[in-house]
Amino acid sequence: MGFLTAEEKGLVNGLWGKVNVDEVGGEALGRLLVVYPWTQRFFQSFGDLSSADAIMGNSKVKAHGKKVLNSFSDGLKNIDDLKGAFAKLSELHCDKLHVDPENFRLLGNVLVCVLAHHFGHEFNPQVQAAFQKVVAGVASALAHRYH
Amino acid sequence: MSLTKAEKTIILSMWGKISTQADAVGTQALERLFASYPQTKTYFPHFDLRPGSAHLRTHGAKVAAALGDAVKSIDNIAGALSKLSEMHAYVLRVDPVNFKLLSHCLLVTVASHFPADFTADAHTAWDKFLSIVSCVLTEKYR
């Protein structure tokens, strides 16, 4: 068995196929900046982040969220080797972006909340459990090359 | 970290809706907790934790009732949960890390049940509220 059981892979891919990655990306990044305002420290150049409405409507936030989630989505295609898939991005986040890996865990959990929000009862405990494994794996992979 | 007036208003008005399904919300949050974080089951060796079990439903109702008490005394959560805080400190001694896990599962349950209400501001308010409840429950640990 790899990182996920066959059943978990089915649950994850089944739901992910229905996700509008661009939209969910903007939503997740926006909510990260609203709910955990200290994360705004990485986005000083993004313009108006003064209120929830400003953040959720901010075009730079949406664009960046889209980028982040497309990258996450690509990673899902390599679910059994997340460390390999995210090696370069891990180095980038450490050496150039100087992002505390705790932020990856925060964003992962915000993403889970956004999926629950969008999919309602379909995002049941078993689906959530599979996604918690995925977001934990991605966060860990992104932190793996830190030094 | 304390709740703003606006956040208290959000919590109170959403609780009006949530309270009509409080038991189900509490129970589902626990189901999510045990599914996503199996290590949390170690605190319940004496329970039948299968989804739908009577133990889960009873305990879920208890969790929901405690949250309801905190909402009703939103200006004095520490007072409202004082006995529960002592119980967690001296009897239950649940490791503090687990409060974050249950809080997250409660948030996910609320998000999935009340999509129209779970705006970014509501998400913030609930996250803060549950943080405060968690703090109160671990306040007397040492």
Side-chain angles (χ1 to χ4, degrees):
Chain A
M1 179 183 85
F3 174 63
L4 297 179
T5 64
E7 191 185 347
E8 287 165 342
K9 282 183 189 176
L11 290 175
V12 168
N13 292 323
L15 195 90
W16 199 253
K18 304 184 208 181
V19 168
N20 179 333
V21 176
D22 294 350
E23 225 177 74
V24 166
E27 177 87 15
L29 185 65
R31 281 181 182 248
L32 179 76
L33 299 175
V34 170
V35 180
Y36 308 108
W38 54 93
T39 59
Q40 293 170 25
R41 71 189 298 285
F42 300 107
F43 303 103
Q44 318 250 29
S45 63
F46 272 28
D48 186 5
L49 300 179
S50 60
S51 68
D53 284 342
I55 292 171
M56 301 308 290
N58 183 307
S59 61
K60 285 189 174 175
V61 171
K62 287 184 192 185
H64 195 68
K66 180 174 161 177
K67 196 177 184 186
V68 167
L69 210 65
N70 272 292
S71 177
F72 179 91
S73 197
D74 287 342
L76 283 189
K77 295 175 194 143
N78 293 288
I79 196 79
D80 287 317
D81 180 26
L82 290 173
K83 290 188 162 67
F86 286 105
K88 286 243 140 52
L89 270 177
S90 178
E91 286 170 10
L92 179 79
H93 281 77
C94 173
D95 299 331
K96 296 270 167 0
L97 304 176
H98 311 293
V99 175
D100 177 352
E102 182 58 27
N103 292 287
F104 308 140
R105 285 166 217 118
L106 278 180
L107 181 59
N109 278 337
V110 170
L111 176 61
V112 166
C113 287
V114 170
L115 292 175
H117 188 216
H118 279 229
F119 290 100
H121 300 294
E122 192 178 346
F123 195 73
N124 64 37
Q126 289 66 44
V127 175
Q128 179 189 350
F131 269 96
Q132 296 290 171
K133 275 192 169 184
V134 173
V135 300
V138 171
S140 173
L142 280 171
H144 190 66
R145 294 286 186 116
Y146 272 56
H147 59 96
Chain B
M1 187 165 33
S2 55
L3 294 165
T4 64
K5 254 190 171 157
E7 286 162 350
K8 288 181 191 179
T9 304
I10 290 174
I11 304 273
L12 284 158
S13 92
M14 275 182 78
W15 188 256
K17 290 191 182 177
I18 295 174
S19 61
T20 63
Q21 302 178 45
D23 292 2
V25 167
T27 303
Q28 192 185 99
L30 288 175
E31 270 179 41
R32 289 179 181 277
L33 180 72
F34 299 134
S36 286
Y37 310 108
Q39 69 274 19
T40 56
K41 294 189 287 186
T42 57
Y43 291 97
F44 301 94
H46 52 301
F47 269 24
D48 170 7
L49 294 179
R50 288 170 301 178
S53 80
H55 278 154
L56 261 188
R57 279 182 282 116
T58 307
H59 202 67
K62 272 192 190 166
V63 169
L67 286 176
D69 288 343
V71 172
K72 277 175 218 124
S73 301
I74 202 158
D75 289 318
N76 182 15
I77 296 175
L81 300 185
S82 171
K83 287 251 141 50
L84 208 55
S85 178
E86 281 170 14
M87 187 158 72
H88 281 78
Y90 306 127
V91 181
L92 303 175
R93 294 174 288 188
V94 172
D95 191 284
V97 74
N98 294 291
F99 292 95
K100 278 199 174 177
L101 303 181
L102 180 56
S103 294
H104 172 65
C105 290
L106 279 159
L107 216 53
V108 170
T109 305
V110 168
S112 69
H113 279 70
F114 304 97
D117 303 278
F118 197 70
T119 61
D121 281 331
H123 185 162
T124 307
W126 279 98
D127 193 79
K128 278 175 82 170
F129 171 75
L130 292 170
S131 257
I132 292 167
V133 169
S134 301
C135 258
V136 165
L137 292 178
T138 54
E139 202 168 45
K140 304 179 189 184
Y141 270 41
R142 57 177 170 171

